Every structure is written in structure tokens, then in C-alpha cells.
Amino acid sequence: MELLGGPLFAVAGAGESHGPGVVTIVFGCPPGLWLERQRIQAWLDRRRPGGTRHGTPRRESDRVTFLAGLYQDDHDRLTAGPTLALDGDDPQAAATYDAGYTTGEPIAAVVLSTAGRAGAYEQFRGPTGAVRPGHTDLVKHYQSGGFVDIRGGGRSSYRSTISDVIGGGIARLYLERAFGTVFLSSVVGVGPLRAERTLAAAVAELGPRIADEQVSALSAALDGTWDEVGIPTIDAAFAAAAADLIKQTRVAGDSLGAVVEVVGLNVPALAGDPLYHSLKLRLMGSLGGLHAAQACEIGDGAAVAGRRGSENNDPIRGTGYARNSHGGLIGGITTGNPLVARVAFKPTSSIARPQQSVRKDLAEIDFELRKGRHDPCVGVRAGVTLESRMAIEVMNAVLMHAARHVDPADFDLFPTEE
Amino acid sequence: MELLGGPLFAVAGAGESHGPGVVTIVFGCPPGLWLERQRIQAWLDRRRPGGTRHGTPRRESDRVTFLAGLYQDDHDRLTAGPTLALDGDDPQAAATYDAGYTTGEPIAAVVLSTAGRAGAYEQFRGPTGAVRPGHTDLVKHYQSGGFVDIRGGGRSSYRSTISDVIGGGIARLYLERAFGTVFLSSVVGVGPLRAERTLAAAVAELGPRIADEQVSALSAALDGTWDEVGIPTIDAAFAAAAADLIKQTRVAGDSLGAVVEVVGLNVPALAGDPLYHSLKLRLMGSLGGLHAAQACEIGDGAAVAGRRGSENNDPIRGTGYARNSHGGLIGGITTGNPLVARVAFKPTSSIARPQQSVRKDLAEIDFELRKGRHDPCVGVRAGVTLESRMAIEVMNAVLMHAARHVDPADFDLFPTEE
Amino acid sequence: MELLGGPLFAVAGAGESHGPGVVTIVFGCPPGLWLERQRIQAWLDRRRPGGTRHGTPRRESDRVTFLAGLYQDDHDRLTAGPTLALDGDDPQAAATYDAGYTTGEPIAAVVLSTAGRAGAYEQFRGPTGAVRPGHTDLVKHYQSGGFVDIRGGGRSSYRSTISDVIGGGIARLYLERAFGTVFLSSVVGVGPLRAERTLAAAVAELGPRIADEQVSALSAALDGTWDEVGIPTIDAAFAAAAADLIKQTRVAGDSLGAVVEVVGLNVPALAGDPLYHSLKLRLMGSLGGLHAAQACEIGDGAAVAGRRGSENNDPIRGTGYARNSHGGLIGGITTGNPLVARVAFKPTSSIARPQQSVRKDLAEIDFELRKGRHDPCVGVRAGVTLESRMAIEVMNAVLMHAARHVDPADFDLFPTEE
Amino acid sequence: MELLGGPLFAVAGAGESHGPGVVTIVFGCPPGLWLERQRIQAWLDRRRPGGTRHGTPRRESDRVTFLAGLYQDDHDRLTAGPTLALDGDDPQAAATYDAGYTTGEPIAAVVLSTAGRAGAYEQFRGPTGAVRPGHTDLVKHYQSGGFVDIRGGGRSSYRSTISDVIGGGIARLYLERAFGTVFLSSVVGVGPLRAERTLAAAVAELGPRIADEQVSALSAALDGTWDEVGIPTIDAAFAAAAADLIKQTRVAGDSLGAVVEVVGLNVPALAGDPLYHSLKLRLMGSLGGLHAAQACEIGDGAAVAGRRGSENNDPIRGTGYARNSHGGLIGGITTGNPLVARVAFKPTSSIARPQQSVRKDLAEIDFELRKGRHDPCVGVRAGVTLESRMAIEVMNAVLMHAARHVDPADFDLFPTEE
């Protein structure tokens, strides 16, 4: 089933690249969290193509509407969201939710699509349609017996990550309120270029508990390079070089891979089941399983393989771990240190340059993409999705740990005379 | 998580009685099923209050729109559903799906709500709001720490069964195409009245495989009493008496319980896992777990407790089971005989007559419902939901059985020279 | 998957009627529960055939051994259970656990089988083996493609409920310690006979909170009829009549159905998710899904269908619900009132009298059971399994409710200076 | 819940490092697979410490016994496994299974432990016990409220992977029979040393379909370095250097990280759900989530981030993909090319050299390990577990794809006259 996270906090999604909309249901948020649509919208705006000059020129406004799972007694404020209307003989209109408290019931959100005509996809239609190298076209055609939405990658499109960001946004609001947890990400590689300065290193200098103003400073740095050159990273020199490289590569009709670092700050300790559903296992899967990802590492990652134990074991002092090569997880359980992960993305599969490929009937062709423009470097906007997926898994792990603590006082209804 | 069925075919739902809409995601329908919106709409129309003169006078048109999971190359036909539009500074409009093939991806549907003002629920607002006996008001208030949607029962409203009917509808289309399976239901009890003639008995006379014209005849009989007196049952005399009793009871400000029989015809044999996830266990839960249900039985049900084994064991002949006291399930596995279940519903909790109750702060009150009119007998329209839930569980069991048969030919992509 | 309960507290089982043993893994018990093997053994002894003179004469000692998930620093006491040894060239022996604290890790238990030769099952062997009416023989043969353990019903045997009782036993210990919760059951019907006095009625007289001595008195009554005539019920007169009827029926080579009532006392309020995973849905499935069960009801059950709302709604007072026709659940959430359910069982399928049946190749035969003796009335020992399944579901629901309450203090590791 | 894989094919495990045994239940193997205990034992022997001279000197014979889920009509052959016996007043003995067909029911296995006294762990006992850097001691102590099995890492020990290997072994037998699928692994890094020759490269030279004799040749090469120097790798020169380094490091009281490559050959195409449960996501989690793993990559892994799309997209020809930089997965779906993954392991946490640490009460100490000897390089024997986990996920994905194909012929029981 199309679920991220779970079994307690989970996100279900549906919706294709060029379909009418993306539909999301978020399960398991405890009651009583104050949720404002604009907070979630702000994260969605970061995910959106066109939010960066390096993204695809296709414009999507990705306006989120909430239809279920919120409440407050002030109904006017509750339903101050945009109105959703249905035409026809029996027209209907419903004012959607703008802000309210979560009730513990499933929260539903709809993001309508404004993608235009599907004419650009004529090239891929039917049993003799072309197959794009690096895409799911061929395997999904055969897997589905030909019943696949061919428009823009269908369900396999990056557009599906709208659900990740909505679900992750709710988790972020919850964890922020309960623990002051914040999730940030920084691009650390674009093609052959690597950042000198990493977010993990910057955070390590600040100690285990990061203050609000420190978070603001980090965010400002990330927003700065995003606004200036369209690449959120704390290494401004790298950002400039990477932006140039992306521009040249786009002109050359080619694309670039990327590496993105994602960090959780002020993460509560002791969350995460060990072994088969450890938070490490879950994060490796959720982050490394994202579209176009081909590698994932936690903490110091692949580098630890080259070390000796005496170098790698993080010493422990009475106030905490003296280092964070473990990346915030030991035995799949949070230590309270920053959660650190890095994900390597392959270059965008859609490129303008001609390639060897086949039609769906396996006849060989020289393939050239007829229409459509695409992100030359998907990693540039993957950060908010990685943050969202990390938040979803941490949220679920937090609730799992809460379930270990049964307080009889939470089960009282009528007074008991004793 | 709010999931019916699963792990292969499952339905997720969200949405409250008086919220903006009910959102549904259906997982696991195999690719290639032709799905027309109007088929699902027809089942939703049977679920709808106001579809019967005995239902609540509140009018809801329950128009379903599909936003994800369907496809066909004819985009005009695909997107011939109603247009869903969002107002505001950045208005959007999306043509929803009218008909297409399933793709194997999650299918999403939205039903907007046209429920009017929530003023009728003023009486229940806040920590000193009144508690309706028989309702979830008190337990949900305390369970959620007060963060509960109090309008019309919130998520616990019967309106949530829209998701059941949508998911069940897709399962029905699939099973109908693959096996000719049909699900029907008949009201067999209203308050103290009991039908003389049951659907299970009528079906038993027809043999294990029911022909299309026999299905049509049964459906016509059920539609007949529905159209005439608002009670779908194959016992017309009972229908008339029950309709009178419901009318009297409504005038008296009271309500009535009911018993509904649900039957699956031409159900494939050999579906259903044994033991902990047996189809019997699943059906008992899914049917008996419906709102207001307090008892569920399979086949001859509670009556079998009074029998001897020599009376109860259904003899087996070379052409099939000679009787169906087992109700289509032995050891939790389908036998190919009609699936038969019966569910007993309590009288509608909302009644006009005064009752002893409390406020949410547990202060005692004489409770009288100020506004709102309600079904005096919820059982009358429970049938389509029971059929839907039965279809969901059968569908999942069918896919589980298919998973036992790995055919290497289904895993071929490129030709292998051998 | 063979799991009862879940997603937080769940029980996995494996093992066939005549296989080497039944293996059980119990997931999700919070750390810190003191668990003694003898407590679980006592419940298993109640499940065991031969524990009653009305059960099958087959003797099984059902000794439970614990192999995982417990700990205490006193290793001698921890490992004071029986020694499990493996013969062969490389013999091994392991002292199993006798008592310890749960650690939060999965708990594993093994019950070896002492069932003798499988010669009695020669009649059923191979593709021309006989099919027993009322049993799973035919459907499981075809479902598995002939790869089914034919000895004594294989996995579909009642012996599989050993896992239910072990998992339920752990849940009972936890709930007893945390809330004083106790689960009891009483046989209320055997064939056409019905008890005059029910456990639910007896409990209702005692008020919502049942004191230890009241529990002891109820238990003593149930043990009394069990010891005297092999039927645990609080209606001694009924017990005597039922015992006579069972005896006569056994002599006649026939069998009888039964009805068993199961009650949870001092159940915490506010547990249970609403709707698709409501505790009502879960209990209906788990209890009504047990072997040979054909009907399940909660609270006043099927009787409520015959009532008016004004009769059926339980009035609420400041100290609690004034009645318990709801059976401890409203909207699928516990009210703190006793949980009440009743399950109707069909007569034992295995009878000595000749019956019409088929061979597995569907050739018709006059079937007569050659060997083996069986419970003439399985309901008589179903009580402990129903109690166990109720405990498993309540336990899971309690943990789910605990997960709604995130206490930051539970996530502290190192001191934070503030 | 402690489950690997699922929802169709899944493995549950229980058991601690120094507990009486490791218990495994394997769910969802279709009926009809011929399973011999010795096949599974052979894989367990590869997992076993002491199976290599570089492993821990602790000797464990890890003899597997099967107690449930197998059958064949020849009972003597079925039950020719070792006898499991229980001592005490009521001694019991059960002959376990040696070979049989799977029945579709859960398969249970027990591996008894012969680990000696727990005296070596005195140093870690109680609230003032020492904490080992790099281990789970501290987080599990606080997470469990002190109720943790401190002996040898308890449940977090590598010993828990016995369940992975048993479950993976059953998946391997199934996939081998159905598709000729084989899983192999090769150590490619030990500390700073890297192999020149990788298994992925060797396999790429052989074409998409690997013949039996080619598999044998690869296996022989891997067995050769294993037998000679205890490091299974196809690069013999690297093996020799790595063995020397491990030896020196052990003498120095230190440990080393490692990188292991795991490859699936003759993997069926078209398996794997896209998106949230894609096979890529599942493999990243399952492989990268293993004990001590800190990075995981698929196909060309992290290297792809440095490429351009025109370099990285694998051209497609009529006979298959012309390269395998995608590692056998596109869009999370198998392409029929070899599945390729690499996992980086941190150096073994247990080292003899003194380290800075704390007691469980957070008092600072200079920590020195008193007793116990450990693998200086855990990666050396991780291969068989990685192969097992890959097999489990592929098996589940294969069954999920089979569930997309409902063949009405599989649902026939009685003949239908038509």
C-alpha cells in the first residue's frame, strides 16, 4: 500500500503527474496539534518546480486544501480556506479548512493540478510508443499489462512527493512543538562538484541542543543561496559554481547528479525500535528509496568503512556523546545528537541529447525527446522531501516510544471513589 | 490506520459528517479494470440519506469525483467528469475522471459535502456541552482531550461509509468481471418484526451458480420494496409492516433496531487465509464492526449452537455441498457456495424523547435533542455498506490466493533465447 | 500473516496438530512486566484437551517453555525453566526461562507435541483420501494444491490456539498489573440448553469496578462447575443438565454446539480506535473468527435489534453509565464498563455417525470416521481462548491510546542544562 | 513488530545473544516448495562465528530444527530431523522435520544456544554498569527503563540474524526453483583496503542470464578465499592483504570497517511496487538497516551523483539494457539485470583498547573491556545475511506481482457444467 511511515504515523498518497490532483491522507497525528494551512503551504512552495530558476519551467502553484481531520469551535476561522467547487447540474461548493486543531482522525488534503495538455506525451503513447532511457516507461508498461498513465511519468513522477511534504509537514509541526525539533537540508554535491562546508559540520559546532537563533541563522544561510542561485546550501562558493555548471549542462541538453544532506536538530533521544524496524532501517529505506536516489548514508556513512574502531567509536561523556560520527543513531535508536543523512541522486533521466532506446514492443530506436523541459538536476529541490520523510519516520518512532509508557491516568473517564 | 481490508486490496478514508468532504484512497486494484464513475455513483446513491423516505430528511447528493489511478488514451473521455475548481487569487480548475482503466496505482475519490450550518450542534459545544446517550460524544471527548469535531458525530458519523462504498464498488466491479460475483442485501428485521422470507433461502433454491437473469430477478424484488416503502427486502409483506412501524416510531420520537442479511453470489472458491486472517474472521470484524452493529453471524449463525453435528454438517456430493448452513465458508475459506452473513443493528441513538445524561464535565442533565432529524432506523440503509465491506474482504482474499500462484511468464520483459 | 492483534501488541503462531510443536512469538509487550512461566502454564492447562472429562481423551501436557524476551540479573532464577535438549552428533542443551522481566523485545515460547502416531489419519491420505464433512479437508486440499498436512486438521486444528493463550496470557498479566483487569468466561448454551444465569448479569450487579474478592468469588463459581462436571459456567443447574446431554450425545456418536460468554472486568476506559480499527470491529473479528464460531455479539447483541432507542440507550449519570446494554464499548471505544461478548459455536464437525461425503477427487462416498476420538462439544473449552483473544485486543488498544500521549520526559537521556 | 519483509513473505524473529535460543517464524511461502533442512543449515554455517578464522573464537554450532509448516506423506522422512527433548517430571520428546513440502502455513525453526556462562558481562550489570562506546548499551538501558538483557548485546546481537538467514534461505530455495535466481556476495573493502575486482563487474561480463556453470565458477572463487584466508571475495589478492590487516588489527586490540557487495543473479523482471514500497526503498532499508551498516547503495551508487545523464542512462536494446549502472532496478522495479547493492559497515564497536565512556548513571569512566573476544571485522561474515535479506525482499516482491494476475482457474473447486 502506498504508505510512508507507520504503523502509528503514516501518509497515504495518490495522484499522477498530469492527473486532476494529488490526494493525501495522513494517519495518526495525536489530537490537539494546532495546524495552519499556511505552514504546510510554505513547505510545499519549497518543493514546487519553478520555485527555483534551475527547476523545470513548468509552473505549478500546488495550493493545498484541507478537507478532513481538523477542528476548532470558531467555524469561520476553521473554514477560512479556499472554496472547492464542483460544477454540473447539481453544483456544490465546500469551504475548506484554514486552521484548526488535529482531532486524532485522518487528515485529508487535496492539491489540484494545473498541468496543461498532455500533447507532449504523444511520443510515448500505445504499444509502439517510445521508451525513455532511465525512466520507468518500459518496466511499468509490462508490469501493468499496458495500463499505465504515460503522461509525464504518471504516478512515478516527482509530483507524488506532494504527499510526502504534506505528511512530513504535519510531523514537523508536531515535533517542533513537542521537542523543538527542526529539519534542514543542504546540497553538498552537484555533478563532480562538492561543497567544502557541510551542514552536519556546521551543526556539530553548535553542541547537541540547537537554540532558536542558531536555527534561524542556518535557515537564513540556506535561504540565501536558494534565493540567489537556486541551490539551498550553506556553502555559498559551492552554490555559485554549481549554479554555473547546471546552467551550462542545461544548455548542453544534459543533466547532473547531486548529493543532498539532511539533518534533524533537537531530535528527542530514545526513539526508534531496534532491529527489523529500527529507525536506521526505516530512514535508509525512506530516504534512499526516494525517486532517483541511488545511495544513502547515516552519520559519517561510507567513510566509516575505512576506519578503525578506536577512531570511529564516539567517546561518551556525562553530558553527551563527544562526537557524532554515529549520526544521531546507535542501534537504530536516537541518541539526541543531530540526525544526519546524505542521499546521492542520479542525473535527471530526461535529457535532450539523443540516446539509444527501444519502443515498447522492443524495436530499437534512436530516441530523442520531442517536447517538455525538465529539471537538469533534481537534487536541487529534493531537500524538502528528504526533510519530510525524515520527519515522518521520527514522528512514528516517537509515538512508538510513547506507547511503551502506559499511564493509567490517561484511561480515566468517570471519577473512581477510592 | 483508517484502512478497511488489506494488505493487498485496502481502502483508506478521511472526512467528518459536516466537514468539507470525504476523501478516499483505494489501494491494490490490479491494472486493467474498466471503471466508470456512474457505476460507483449508483452504489453511493443507495447509501445516501434521503434516498429513502425513511432516511433522514437531510439531503446530500454525494457526487463522487475521481482524481487519481485511472487512465485511457482517450483523454477527453477520461476527463469527462465534473470540474473541480478552487477559488482565490490563484484560481484552479481540474477536470476529473469519468471513465478509464485502473493502472494498479492508488485510486483517489473526493465527495464534497453540502451539509449546511453547524448551528444545530451548539448544544454540544465545549466542556459543558451535552452528551447524547448512545453516541460517542463522551468517550471521544475524553479520548481526544477535548479536540473532537462535535458536528453531527464528526468522523464517527455514518457519512464515513462513503469510503466503504467507493472501495467496495471497485471491488465489486473487479469481482463481477472476473467471476460474475454479485453482492445483495435484504432487510430481515425491523424492531420486533421479522421477515418470513430471507434472501439466503431464496438464493439456496437457485443452486450454487446464479445466472444473470436470476440475479436480475432478485435485484428487482429488492428494488421494488425500496421504491415502494423505502425498505429493500425480498419479503414484501414484511416491508409494508416494517414501513408502518418505522413511521409510527418516528412520530413517537423514538427509533428502531434492525437486522440486515448480506449475501455474495458466485463467489470464487478457495479464497481466504485460514486462522488469524481467515475470511471468516475478517468478515465478522468488518461487518460486525460497522456503526451501530452489535451482532454478526455467518451462515446459519447463532442457530447452529442449538444443533447436533449430524444435523449441522453439510453433506458433500460430487457437484458441491448439498446444503449451505456453513454460509459459504469452511475453515475461513470460501467453498463457492453463497457467502451469507447477518448483522443486527441497535436502534438509532439519536431520538427526540428526553433521556438521562450528563454534560461533558459529568454534571447530570435531563437531555433533550434540540435540533436535527435522524434516521429512525439506520438498518434500512446499511445494506449497501455491508455489501461493500463484504466485497472488499473477498477482493483482498482473492488477491491473496492469486499470490500463491507464481507464473514465470508474468515476469518476462526481454525475450530469452533458449 | 499469522498475527493476532497488532500493530503494537501482536501474537504470531506456527505449528500443526500433530507436528513437533507449536511456536509462538509475542511482539510489543512493554519492558518491565514480571512474567512467571507458571502463570501462563495455568492458562494453557485450562485450554488443554483432557483438562475436562468432556474433552477429547487425547492427553497433551502442553508444557510451555520460554526462549526469548525475558531477563533478570539473577540468572539462576531466570533460567530455572526446563532444559530443552537436541540430540545427534553435536548435542545441545539450553535451560529455558522460568521468570523474568519483559524487555520490550519479542517473547518466544515453544510447546512440544506428544501426539502419537499419525496412523489414525491413513483414511485421509493422498488424492483419493476421504473428506470429513464440516472440516477444512476439501478446501485446504485444493487451495494448497495438495500440499497440506492432513494429520488431525493440520494447522487448522484447535491446537493452534496455544499461541492465542500464550499471547493472551502476557496481555492479561500486563493489564492485571496496570488496571486490575480480569477476563472470565462462562458457558451459557450447550445444544438446545441455555443457562438461566449469565456472567454478564452477575457482573452487572457488582457495579463498574469489581473488587478482588468479587473476582475470586466469580472464579470460584466457574472453577466449581468445571471441576464437578467439566463445564465452566456460573449456572450450576445448567452445568449439570449440559453435562448429561453431552454424555448422551457422545454415546450416540454425535456432537453439540455451544454458546460461550466472555467478559472483561475493570477494563480501562478510552481505549480503542474508532471506525476501521475500532475495538468493536477487532473483537467481533477475533472472537467471532475463532475455529467453529459462527456468530458473535457485543453487549446485548442481537437482542438490541428488537428494541426501541428509548429502551436501548444506556442512561448516563455522573458516576457512570446506568446500564451496560452497550457491553463496554460505545463507538468502538471502551467506557470502563465490563466488556461483554458472546460467541456461538457449531457442533464439533468430527462425529462417529456415517455421513455423505466425497473423496478429494470428488468421488462420492459414505463417510465413516475410522479412528480418533474428539470433543463432542468444543465450546466447553473455548472460554480460555476467547478470554485470551479479548485480552490481546484490549492490550493493543491500550498501547494505541498510550501512543496519543507523548511525554517529553520519556525522551530524556543526558541531562539538559536549562 | 520484528518482521523482515512482508506483507506477503515475511520473517519474524526472537532471541538474544545469550538466551536459550533463537526462534523464527517464516510467513507466506506458497505451498509445494521442497525444503530440506540441510540446505538451510548450509547457509547458517556460513553465518556462524567460528566459521572463519577471522571471526570470534566463540563456537556456536547453530543447528537449525524445523517444528512447523512442512509436510510429506512419508512421515519417517519428514521427521528424520534431530529430536528435541524437554526434561522434568513430565519429559517430552519430539522428532523435528528434516525435509518436506511447504504447506503455505507458517514455518517455524528453533536454533538452540550453547553460549556459556554470562559471567563475562558482570562489568555491565545494573544501574552503575559500564557502557560500551558504539554499542546500544546506553540507549537501550534508558529506552527500556533498565529492563534490558545485558548479556552480549542481548537482542541487538548479530546472533539475531539467524532468523534472517533461515527466512532468506526459504526465499532462496523458492526463487532458485522458480527462476534460477541466485544470491552471492563479495567483500570489497576492509578498512582502507579496496578490492580491484568486484562481483558486479564479473557478473556484468556474463550477460543478463547467468548459466549454472557460471554461478558455480563464481561460487568457487568466493569459497576459495573464504577457505584460504576467511574472507569471501572474488579478488584473491585483496583477500590476502585484507587478511593480514585484520590479523594485525586484532593484535593491536582494534577493529576495522568493511564494504560488502551483494548481487542477485537471474532475478525475475517486473517485480517491485513503485514509490512508497518500491523494491529499491525496501532493499535500501533492509540492507542498509543491518547491524553496523552505515551506508547502502544500489547499482553504481554514490558514483552516479558525479555523472551527467548522458553518461548514466543505460541504453536499451531489443535484447535488454546495454549496461547495468541502474543495478537491476528502475523506478523500484526489477529489470531482469543483476540486482547490485553495496553496504558499508563500521568497525566492530567492541575493541580491547581503552576508551572514554560512562556508567549507565552517566558517571564518566575510562572504559576497558574486561572479557570476551569479538570479530575485529564484522563485514567479513555479513555477506550471507545481506544475501538473505535481499532474497526476502525479492521473494515478497515476486508474490506481490503474482497477486496482480488473478486466474479464475485457480479458484475452481467443484466442476461447473457449462
Side-chain angles (χ1 to χ4, degrees), chain B residues 120-399:
Chain B
Y121 299 94
E122 197 59 43
Q123 180 176 16
F124 310 112
R125 184 174 294 186
T128 58
V131 165
R132 296 170 298 169
H135 274 280
T136 61
D137 299 353
L138 191 64
V139 284
K140 291 194 77 168
H141 177 77
Y142 280 93
Q143 189 183 60
S144 68
F147 297 102
V148 58
D149 184 341
I150 58 162
R151 301 168 300 170
R155 176 75 187 143
S156 299
S157 160
Y158 208 77
R159 189 161 174 76
S160 64
T161 61
I162 285 174
S163 297
D164 309 26
V165 175
I166 292 171
I170 294 171
R172 294 167 85 144
L173 292 179
Y174 188 89
L175 294 168
E176 178 186 277
R177 190 192 62 166
F179 301 102
T181 310
V182 174
F183 298 90
L184 298 174
S185 61
S186 177
V187 178
V188 293
V190 166
L193 304 177
R194 288 292 171 275
E196 295 271 312
R197 181 152 176 79
T198 70
L199 184 55
V203 162
E205 294 163 7
L206 303 176
R209 179 92 203 164
I210 320 291
D212 287 354
E213 56 274 18
Q214 294 170 323
V215 170
S216 299
L218 291 168
S219 293
L222 294 163
D223 287 349
T225 56
W226 170 269
D227 289 342
E228 273 176 58
V229 298
I231 299 174
T233 173
I234 62 160
D235 184 332
F238 161 73
D244 281 347
L245 181 60
I246 290 174
K247 191 174 167 187
Q248 293 161 21
T249 308
R250 180 205 297 274
V251 171
D254 215 332
S255 63
L256 289 166
V259 182
V260 181
E261 194 184 25
V262 55
V263 175
L265 306 176
N266 303 334
V267 172
L270 308 181
D273 295 294
L275 286 188
Y276 293 165
H277 280 270
S278 82
L279 188 52
K280 185 179 76 174
L281 183 152
R282 301 280 299 245
L283 285 173
M284 285 272 193
S286 189
L287 303 180
L290 187 59
H291 309 59
Q294 294 232 222
C296 181
E297 47 184 19
I298 303 287
D300 285 357
V304 304
R307 296 183 187 157
R308 286 164 184 271
S310 54
E311 299 168 286
N312 190 63
N313 282 350
D314 294 329
I316 319 177
R317 302 288 71 193
T319 52
Y321 290 87
R323 271 203 315 257
N324 189 23
S325 76
H326 65 278
L329 285 171
I330 288 187
I333 299 167
T334 55
T335 63
N337 271 52
L339 265 184
V340 176
R342 262 172 312 283
V343 179
F345 294 92
K346 68 175 183 179
T348 311
S349 298
S350 292
I351 56 175
R353 301 177 62 157
Q355 301 172 82
Q356 287 191 321
S357 190
V358 293
R359 303 189 317 196
K360 286 177 198 154
D361 63 1
L362 301 181
E364 300 187 348
I365 55 173
D366 290 318
F367 174 77
E368 200 158 347
L369 198 59
R370 285 204 203 130
K371 288 187 188 174
R373 284 191 289 174
H374 299 272
D375 275 359
C377 181
V378 290
V380 164
R381 63 181 174 110
V384 69
T385 305
L386 294 174
E387 297 162 23
S388 300
R389 290 192 167 200
M390 184 179 269
I392 290 166
E393 293 297 341
V394 171
M395 177 76 175
N396 185 65
V398 161
L399 299 183

Side-chain angles (χ1 to χ4, degrees), chain C residues 86-327:
Chain C
L86 203 59
D87 69 358
D89 292 341
D90 179 17
Q92 291 181 294
T96 61
Y97 292 149
D98 193 59
Y101 292 100
T102 59
T103 61
E105 306 288 1
I107 299 164
V110 172
V111 172
L112 290 185
S113 193
T114 54
R117 303 296 307 157
Y121 299 94
E122 196 61 40
Q123 182 176 15
F124 310 113
R125 185 174 293 188
T128 58
V131 165
R132 296 169 297 170
H135 274 280
T136 63
D137 299 353
L138 191 64
V139 285
K140 292 194 78 168
H141 178 76
Y142 280 93
Q143 189 184 60
S144 68
F147 297 102
V148 58
D149 185 341
I150 58 162
R151 299 169 300 171
R155 177 73 187 142
S156 298
S157 159
Y158 209 77
R159 188 160 175 78
S160 65
T161 61
I162 285 174
S163 297
D164 309 25
V165 174
I166 292 171
I170 295 171
R172 294 167 85 144
L173 292 180
Y174 188 89
L175 295 168
E176 177 185 277
R177 189 192 62 167
F179 301 102
T181 310
V182 174
F183 299 90
L184 299 174
S185 61
S186 177
V187 178
V188 293
V190 166
L193 305 176
R194 289 292 170 276
E196 296 271 312
R197 181 152 176 78
T198 70
L199 184 55
V203 162
E205 294 162 7
L206 303 176
R209 179 93 203 162
I210 318 292
D212 288 354
E213 56 275 18
Q214 294 169 322
V215 170
S216 300
L218 291 168
S219 293
L222 294 163
D223 288 349
T225 55
W226 170 268
D227 290 341
E228 273 175 58
V229 297
I231 299 174
T233 174
I234 62 160
D235 185 330
F238 161 74
D244 282 347
L245 181 61
I246 291 174
K247 191 174 169 187
Q248 293 161 21
T249 308
R250 180 205 298 273
V251 170
D254 216 332
S255 64
L256 289 166
V259 183
V260 181
E261 194 184 26
V262 54
V263 175
L265 307 176
N266 302 334
V267 172
L270 308 181
D273 294 295
L275 287 189
Y276 294 165
H277 281 270
S278 81
L279 188 52
K280 184 179 76 174
L281 184 152
R282 303 280 298 245
L283 285 174
M284 285 273 192
S286 188
L287 303 180
L290 187 59
H291 308 58
Q294 294 231 221
C296 180
E297 48 184 19
I298 303 286
D300 286 357
V304 303
R307 296 183 186 156
R308 286 165 183 270
S310 56
E311 298 169 286
N312 190 61
N313 282 349
D314 294 329
I316 319 176
R317 303 286 72 194
T319 52
Y321 290 86
R323 270 202 316 257
N324 189 24
S325 77
H326 64 279

Side-chain angles (χ1 to χ4, degrees), chain D residues 44-76:
Chain D
L44 280 173
D45 290 346
R46 282 185 52 209
R47 192 211 69 87
R48 186 162 58 86
T52 156
R53 77 190 73 167
H54 295 293
T56 156
R58 164 181 165 180
R59 191 169 178 291
E60 304 170 81
S61 66
D62 285 359
R63 290 174 65 201
V64 64
T65 59
F66 285 99
L67 278 74
L70 302 182
Y71 189 68
Q72 60 170 312
D73 278 334
D74 179 346
H75 291 183
D76 290 339

Side-chain angles (χ1 to χ4, degrees), chain A residues 1 143 164 254-255 270 272 276-277 280-281 285 290 293-294 296 298 308-310 313 317-318 349 355 357 364, chain D residues 1 143 164 254-255 270 272 276-277 280 285 290 293-294 296 298 308-310 313 317-318 349 355 357 364:
Chain A
M1 293 177 292
Q143 188 183 61
D164 308 27
D254 216 332
S255 63
L270 308 181
Y276 293 164
H277 280 269
K280 184 180 73 173
L281 184 152
L290 187 59
Q294 293 231 219
C296 181
I298 302 287
R308 286 165 184 271
S310 55
N313 281 349
R317 302 287 72 196
S349 298
Q355 301 172 82
S357 189
E364 299 187 349
Chain D
M1 292 176 293
Q143 188 184 61
D164 310 26
D254 216 333
S255 62
L270 308 181
Y276 294 164
H277 281 268
K280 184 180 76 174
L290 187 59
Q294 294 232 221
C296 181
I298 302 287
R308 285 167 184 271
S310 55
N313 281 349
R317 301 288 71 193
S349 298
Q355 301 172 83
S357 189
E364 300 186 350

